[in-house]
Amino acid sequence: EPEVTQTPSHQVTQMGQEVILRCVPISNHLYFYWYRQILGQKVEFLVSFYNNEISEKSEIFDDQFSVERPDGSNFTLKIRSTKLEDSAMYFCASSVGLAGGAEQFFGPGTRLTVL
Amino acid sequence: GESVGLHLPTLSVQEGDNSIINCAYSNSASDYFIWYKQESGKGPQFIIDIRSNMDKRQGQRVTVLLNKTVKHLSLQIAATQPGDSAVYFCAETHPNTGNQFYFGTGTSLTVIP
């Protein structure tokens, strides 16, 4: 069964450093998403991506964040200068269609720890 | 801002009993709802969805009920099994937000063998 994969499973970084979280969405999916979940809190939408551009982003997704689909398979989230409060689980998801019409499949997540 | 909340943070049930997990939402324009299951160390997994033009939808051992009048959503799990132990989230979206889902805080379900 096809699945969304994410690497690394755990990333530890120093405050102020740049991190890149990687995702491989399901191959025939067209919409890609990043969510984050701070420990013990709800899952929060960050950004959606379609046709090689951001289609929607939340208030959390400020100038420190960027996304890219560098090739036909990878989808990345970059945090330029990490802050302590960026520590969270980051989930990538993909879907065939739009949120209201297609299931979003989630990856296992990357746990980001900022020291 | 958006508010999707759950009534109970934890729920314990005996194996074989039915479970009911509740969720409240605040945006009357919400038109699509999903229940997700999240097991420890894993990402959310789709369970069942429902659109606002329906008030009930059934899947395998699961039923989702939608009451738009009071903006309330529930997930019923029949004959709960140990493998059902997880955190359950409701999520909603509405036409104004396109692809953006709003998640609730989650209810932790523990099934007692």
Side-chain angles (χ1 to χ4, degrees):
Chain A
E1 183 177 325
E3 59 184 14
V4 177
T5 59
Q6 290 184 245
T7 55
S9 58
H10 192 186
Q11 174 87 48
V12 181
T13 189
Q14 295 289 328
M15 188 171 60
Q17 295 296 305
E18 174 183 287
V19 294
I20 297 176
L21 309 183
R22 303 180 191 279
C23 168
V24 178
I26 295 173
S27 61
N28 65 332
H29 286 187
L30 302 176
Y31 296 82
F32 314 112
Y33 315 85
W34 282 102
Y35 292 83
R36 80 171 185 192
Q37 185 179 29
I38 296 171
L39 185 63
Q41 298 186 23
K42 64 179 71 173
V43 175
E44 299 172 291
F45 171 84
L46 293 177
V47 66
S48 62
F49 192 86
Y50 170 71
N51 200 26
N52 285 319
E53 62 182 22
I54 291 173
S55 53
E56 199 166 348
K57 60 182 180 180
S58 71
E59 293 175 353
I60 303 168
F61 194 89
D62 60 22
D63 291 343
Q64 292 297 313
F65 291 89
S66 62
V67 289
E68 193 177 30
R69 188 156 164 81
D71 52 45
S73 61
N74 289 285
F75 180 51
T76 62
L77 174 69
K78 181 192 291 186
I79 308 175
R80 252 181 284 281
S81 178
T82 50
K83 303 185 285 288
L84 295 176
E85 53 265 38
D86 293 328
S87 295
M89 282 290 288
Y90 287 81
F91 293 105
C92 173
S94 68
S95 65
V96 172
L98 287 172
E103 178 184 347
Q104 292 184 16
F105 291 81
F106 283 76
T110 292
R111 180 173 298 284
L112 177 65
T113 302
V114 182
L115 302 176
Chain B
E2 294 292 331
S3 174
V4 180
L6 292 165
H7 293 312
L8 295 173
T10 62
L11 178 65
S12 295
V13 297
Q14 292 287 336
E15 181 178 358
D17 286 352
N18 297 334
S19 303
I20 299 177
I21 300 171
N22 297 303
C23 178
Y25 62 96
S26 61
N27 193 329
S28 57
S30 297
D31 62 350
Y32 182 62
F33 306 86
I34 295 182
W35 279 101
Y36 283 96
K37 173 185 180 183
Q38 187 177 24
E39 296 173 281
S40 181
K42 297 183 179 180
Q45 178 186 5
F46 174 94
I47 301 174
I48 191 167
D49 61 356
I50 189 168
R51 298 194 180 280
S52 58
N53 61 351
M54 304 172 69
D55 52 22
K56 180 179 180 179
R57 189 151 190 248
Q58 287 184 290
Q60 187 176 15
R61 284 201 306 119
V62 294
T63 301
V64 55
L65 299 178
L66 175 63
N67 185 331
K68 294 182 286 295
T69 303
V70 295
K71 296 197 282 288
H72 183 268
L73 191 70
S74 69
L75 175 70
Q76 300 178 1
I77 305 173
T80 316
Q81 302 168 359
D84 294 327
S85 293
V87 176
Y88 290 81
F89 297 92
C90 63
E92 55 91 13
T93 189
H94 51 81
N96 295 338
T97 60
N99 288 324
Q100 186 167 169
F101 271 106
Y102 297 92
F103 281 77
T105 311
T107 291
S108 177
L109 174 66
T110 300
V111 181
I112 303 165

